[in-house]
């Protein structure tokens, strides 16, 4: 194995584990939406772009892809604040079967904001999918399709970043605490 970048403590989820889980999630989605004409995947930029690319290509049902982006007020690296929409979908969501595709759910603020924003636009149905969830007891909005639960540490790779770095690693790794604290 090649050596890890010095900012990284350890690999939490390997490339193989991610690829296997993405195929399982796609299979589950195919089954759940077998009777539907098409679904609309809404990826949340930037973090979800790699997960969305793999998930969408693993899906053997009709689907469209669109994007939203949010930013958090008072977000200095690792602290989550109030959410603001900075990019909206290009296509209307009325009567569409939507799945929100997120990289990671921490406090749940981002997912909750997106869920309620889209819910108010009369989609045919609305579900959520996230690659990662940090261990929590209570989330206001549930995750219908979850890749992995991880410990409460800062992770990077497979789309996730720290200050826009380490995003394109093929695995998910824990950032050394001294890098972000
Ligand atoms: P929440 O609103 O607290 O659930 O935070 C979710 C958002 O924070 C995600 O969409 C990520 O952009 C970011 N985030 C939370 N934890 C991490 C992490 O460990 N690594 C990278 N981004 C994270
Ligand atoms: Mg993000």
């Amino acid at each position: 194995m090649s050596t890890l970048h010095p900012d990284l403590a350890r690999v939490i989820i390997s490339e193989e584990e991610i690829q296997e889980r993405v195929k399982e999630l796609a299979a589950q989605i195919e089954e759940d939406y077998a009777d539907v004409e098409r679904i609309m995947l809404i990826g949340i930029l930037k973090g979800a772009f790699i997960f969305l690319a793999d998930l969408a290509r693993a899906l053997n049902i009709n689907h469209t892809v669109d994007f939203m982006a949010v930013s958090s007020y008072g977000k200095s690296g690792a602290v989550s604040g109030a959410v603001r929409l900075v990019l909206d979908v290009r296509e209307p969501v009325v009567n569409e079967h939507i799945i929100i595709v997120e990289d990671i759910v921490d406090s749940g603020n981002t997912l909750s904001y997106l869920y309620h924003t889209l819910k108010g636009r009369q989609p045919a149905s609305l579900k959520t999918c996230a690659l990662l969830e940090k261990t929590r007891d209570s989330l206001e909005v549930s995750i219908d399709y979850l890749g992995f639960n991880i410990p409460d540490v800062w992770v990077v790779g497979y789309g996730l970043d720290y200050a826009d770095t380490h995003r394109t690693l093929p695995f998910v790794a824990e950032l050394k605490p001294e890098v972000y604290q």
Side-chain angles (χ1 to χ4, degrees):
M1 206 188 126
S2 60
T3 49
L4 270 186
H5 187 282
D7 287 356
L8 307 179
R10 65 187 172 108
V11 173
I12 294 194
I13 310 166
S14 70
E15 181 173 4
E16 293 72 26
E17 287 174 296
I18 295 171
Q19 292 306 326
E20 199 185 313
R21 189 75 186 115
V22 168
K23 289 196 192 88
E24 288 172 1
L25 291 173
Q28 207 183 322
I29 292 171
E30 281 171 20
E31 204 180 305
D32 293 351
Y33 292 88
D35 300 332
V36 154
E37 198 181 319
R38 67 161 184 204
I39 63 174
M40 181 176 184
L41 302 172
I42 301 183
I44 309 309
L45 297 174
K46 302 177 194 173
F49 84 111
I50 291 179
F51 176 42
L52 176 68
D54 284 346
L55 184 70
R57 288 180 294 173
L59 264 186
N60 289 305
I61 53 172
N62 259 341
H63 62 271
T64 61
V65 167
D66 213 323
F67 295 95
M68 292 173 90
V70 293
S71 75
S72 298
Y73 285 117
K75 194 162 187 173
S76 58
V79 185
S80 186
V83 182
R84 180 172 61 98
L85 189 65
V86 298
L87 176 78
D88 209 339
V89 286
R90 294 212 19 193
E91 304 304 326
V93 303
V94 184
N95 294 329
E96 296 284 341
H97 292 279
I98 294 170
I99 302 179
I100 301 170
V101 180
E102 251 286 40
D103 53 355
I104 184 167
V105 178
D106 182 4
S107 69
N109 286 342
T110 306
L111 189 65
S112 172
Y113 171 84
L114 291 164
Y115 186 90
H116 293 293
T117 300
L118 289 166
K119 192 80 187 167
R121 299 180 184 175
Q122 281 83 46
S125 68
L126 180 59
K127 284 197 183 182
T128 61
C129 173
L131 179 72
L132 306 172
E133 181 191 10
K134 286 186 182 171
T135 325
R136 301 221 164 241
D137 328 309
S138 62
L139 279 178
E140 194 244 327
V141 169
S142 65
I143 305 170
D144 298 296
Y145 304 99
L146 175 66
F148 305 90
N149 262 120
I150 60 160
D152 191 7
V153 294
W154 196 263
V155 291
V156 295
Y158 201 68
L160 292 107
D161 71 303
Y162 173 69
D164 259 323
T165 61
H166 305 298
R167 224 187 259 286
T168 53
L169 293 169
F171 47 77
V172 171
E174 175 183 348
L175 198 67
K176 285 181 184 166
E178 59 262 37
V179 178
Y180 65 90
Q181 274 167 3

